[in-house]
Amino acid sequence: MPSLLSFARQSTNKSAASAEEDSRRPKTTVIALERKSTSAMDIFHHHSKEKRHSVTGRRGSGGKGSPKNSPKMVAVLPAKLDIDMESPPLVFYGVPAQSSGALLSGQLSLNVTDPQVKLQSFEMQLLATCTTKKPVEKNCPDCAIKTNEVYKWTFLTEPAAFKKGSHSFPFSYLMPGHYPATSYGGLGTIEYSLSARAVTSLSDHITFTRPLKIQRALPPGNDKSSIRIFPPTHLTATLVLPPIIHPIGEFQVQMRIDGCVDKGKDTQTRWRVRKMSWRIDEHSKIISAACPKHAHKVGGEGKGVLHQDTRAIGGEDLKSGWKTDFDTPGGQIEMEYMASIKPGSNPLCDVESPTGLAITHNLVIELIVAEEYCPNKNTKSVTPTGAARVLRMQFTLVVTERSGMGISWDEEMPPMYEDVPVSPPGYQKMGIEDYEGEPFPYEELDGLRR
């Protein structure tokens, strides 16, 4: 079974005409037919256009050169495919190195509409597709799309005939926990899909594609504390943040600034916060690898072009809401506020893929502090010095989906009762006999009454 480390594996070289034809096809068709040979594609086109046609009696499109009464030809397939998922949503719990994965299971249905159909082959693939929106060659599908087969189910080992009706084929697979989650970024995407294909004895190709959404959820933990120092001043900032945040919902930020008062013999100099602003930045980067045909543009095969992008997905400016205490030794400024990702910004969760796609987030905080001095005997007589500074800090944020109950597939399995006997234990019949010994001594209780 190949891993996602082989996402960059290229498909067979295509001619320029076939590449342009594939770029105009629907996405699902490109994934299913990407590795087919030219002869197989010719057979597919031949039977889809010439065989199993039915006249619907509809009028033509009315375009130029076509009679108005010409019927429209529609291909009718002898069967249809459908997928019924039985497993819960695919969620990887925990970090990639410790996640136990997610269990994928369901039923692949073959609905035969003809009295009987004979299948030569019947299989389904679990595909992982990485797409870059800035390929090395703009019009080359091999540079833009890399498809990897994660797993394959083969339902027929030899040709078989199926009568009219519905036929079900169960399937299951344990998705490894180190795989990257589904992501739709501005520079590239990571997608998973189930692609089923059946080939009849008349060379009709029956296909069906169902996309899969895989998420990753990290469990909550203890808050983390960070310290920043701003020389040459004595200012020190201490920030407390949650270990993870979610695309929807608020999170609390606590910050304390120490060392904002410098007392002298007669006067003291202190820093006062005039403005505070915060924002959440989303950083995306991807390495666009070139296909063998265009490898010379990037200096050889196995190399690519790095693209980066940064966008703000939340932020706010505050001019009040903090507590200033210049009477404590060294002085102290405390602030606490609620931050969140802006609704409608379509944030992405943190992803790091071997294919080169990486998404991270940072919390950027900027403080504008102004310097002032006053005599020690009269601290209310404040005089600004005209000096000001901008204190800028960055902290890493981990954006992840909500874990809910946080129960992975291996913890949901019922217990195994292997030591329980076949039947419950029996009870022996016990006889009760009358007592024939001496009577028990009896003491009068009248003397014990009060």
Side-chain angles (χ1 to χ4, degrees):
M1 179 189 67
S3 65
L4 289 187
L5 293 176
S6 61
F7 271 13
R9 185 178 63 188
Q10 304 295 325
S11 58
T12 56
N13 293 332
K14 302 178 182 179
S15 62
S18 63
E20 294 178 358
E21 183 179 359
D22 290 344
S23 64
R24 294 191 296 266
R25 292 177 177 271
K27 181 172 152 186
T28 54
T29 307
V30 172
I31 294 176
L33 303 180
E34 191 176 31
R35 294 188 174 90
K36 293 183 71 66
S37 61
T38 305
S39 61
M41 292 181 66
D42 294 338
I43 294 174
F44 174 76
H45 294 316
H46 172 75
H47 288 284
S48 64
K49 293 180 180 179
E50 297 183 4
K51 290 191 176 183
R52 305 194 63 85
H53 284 177
S54 65
V55 179
T56 61
R58 299 179 182 177
R59 293 181 178 268
S61 58
K64 294 183 179 180
S66 62
K68 294 183 179 181
N69 297 330
S70 61
K72 185 177 180 180
M73 311 301 290
V74 178
V76 178
L77 297 176
K80 297 180 180 179
L81 297 176
D82 195 9
I83 297 177
D84 296 328
M85 300 300 299
E86 298 177 349
S87 57
L90 301 176
V91 181
F92 296 153
Y93 292 101
V95 296
Q98 301 177 357
S99 177
S100 60
L103 185 61
L104 169 67
S105 63
Q107 297 278 344
L108 176 60
S109 300
L110 174 66
N111 300 317
V112 180
T113 55
D114 284 6
Q116 186 176 356
V117 62
K118 185 176 182 180
L119 299 183
Q120 298 292 335
S121 63
F122 190 22
E123 61 185 18
M124 185 173 65
Q125 296 173 306
L126 174 58
L127 302 177
T129 305
C130 291
T131 305
T132 175
K133 297 183 179 180
K134 294 185 178 180
V136 176
E137 180 64 27
K138 184 177 180 181
N139 298 323
C140 178
D142 292 338
C143 290
I145 302 175
K146 306 295 186 300
T147 302
N148 181 54
E149 180 185 286
V150 179
Y151 194 76
K152 182 178 180 180
W153 296 270
T154 302
F155 300 105
L156 294 182
T157 57
E158 58 184 12
F162 297 90
K163 295 183 179 180
K164 184 177 182 180
S166 180
H167 307 271
S168 298
F169 299 85
F171 64 90
S172 63
Y173 178 67
L174 177 59
M175 297 286 296
H178 64 274
Y179 281 11
T182 303
S183 181
Y184 299 94
L187 298 177
T189 62
I190 299 177
E191 300 173 285
Y192 296 88
S193 62
L194 291 173
S195 178
R197 181 179 58 191
V199 181
T200 66
S201 58
L202 299 177
S203 299
D204 287 328
H205 290 250
I206 307 171
T207 60
F208 182 80
T209 301
R210 180 189 178 98
L212 296 177
K213 184 177 181 181
I214 300 179
Q215 299 174 314
R216 183 175 298 280
L218 302 180
N222 298 327
D223 293 343
K224 57 180 182 180
S225 179
S226 304
I227 299 176
R228 297 292 187 270
I229 302 174
F230 303 95
T233 66
H234 299 288
L235 296 174
T236 303
T238 303
L239 195 80
V240 179
L241 284 172
I244 59 173
I245 66 173
H246 307 291
I248 301 176
E250 297 181 334
F251 61 95
Q252 188 180 56
V253 180
Q254 300 177 1
M255 186 167 59
R256 186 183 72 250
I257 301 176
D258 299 318
C260 52
V261 176
D262 185 11
K263 285 189 176 183
K265 183 177 180 181
D266 298 327
T267 61
Q268 57 177 311
T269 304
R270 54 195 187 186
W271 296 94
R272 186 181 296 273
V273 177
R274 297 299 184 184
K275 182 181 178 181
M276 192 276 290
S277 61
W278 63 269
R279 74 174 186 271
I280 301 176
D281 289 342
E282 183 179 88
H283 306 279
S284 303
K285 69 176 183 179
I286 191 172
I287 299 176
S288 299
C291 67
K293 183 179 178 180
H294 301 97
H296 63 279
K297 293 188 175 182
V298 293
E301 190 173 355
K303 297 183 179 180
V305 180
L306 176 63
H307 300 280
Q308 296 181 346
D309 182 34
T310 301
R311 67 184 183 116
I313 57 175
E316 188 180 6
D317 295 334
L318 301 176
K319 295 185 178 180
S320 62
W322 48 83
K323 178 183 177 181
T324 304
D325 187 4
F326 293 138
D327 296 333
T328 58
Q332 190 177 81
I333 302 175
E334 294 182 349
M335 59 183 66
E336 181 177 323
Y337 57 92
M338 302 299 294
S340 64
I341 297 177
K342 181 174 60 176
S345 60
N346 297 325
L348 302 175
C349 294
D350 284 33
V351 173
E352 186 173 0
S353 171
T355 59
L357 177 63
I359 299 174
T360 56
H361 298 82
N362 283 339
L363 174 64
V364 181
I365 299 178
E366 293 183 356
L367 295 174
I368 298 179
V369 294
E371 188 181 36
E372 59 186 24
Y373 74 94
C374 63
N376 293 333
K377 296 182 179 180
N378 186 11
T379 57
K380 294 183 180 182
S381 178
V382 179
T383 303
T385 62
R389 290 182 178 270
V390 178
L391 310 181
R392 192 172 186 271
M393 300 164 277
Q394 287 192 16
F395 304 91
T396 302
L397 289 179
V398 179
V399 181
T400 179
E401 298 289 346
R402 295 187 181 273
S403 60
M405 298 181 63
I407 302 176
S408 59
W409 69 271
D410 52 347
E411 296 178 355
E412 290 182 348
M413 296 179 61
M416 304 295 292
Y417 297 98
E418 298 178 354
D419 300 331
V420 177
V422 180
S423 60
Y427 296 92
Q428 299 179 357
K429 294 183 179 180
M430 299 177 61
I432 302 177
E433 300 179 356
D434 296 335
Y435 180 73
E436 299 178 353
E438 298 181 357
F440 290 98
Y442 177 76
E443 298 180 0
E444 294 290 343
L445 301 179
D446 294 341
L448 299 179
R449 296 179 180 177
R450 294 182 180 178

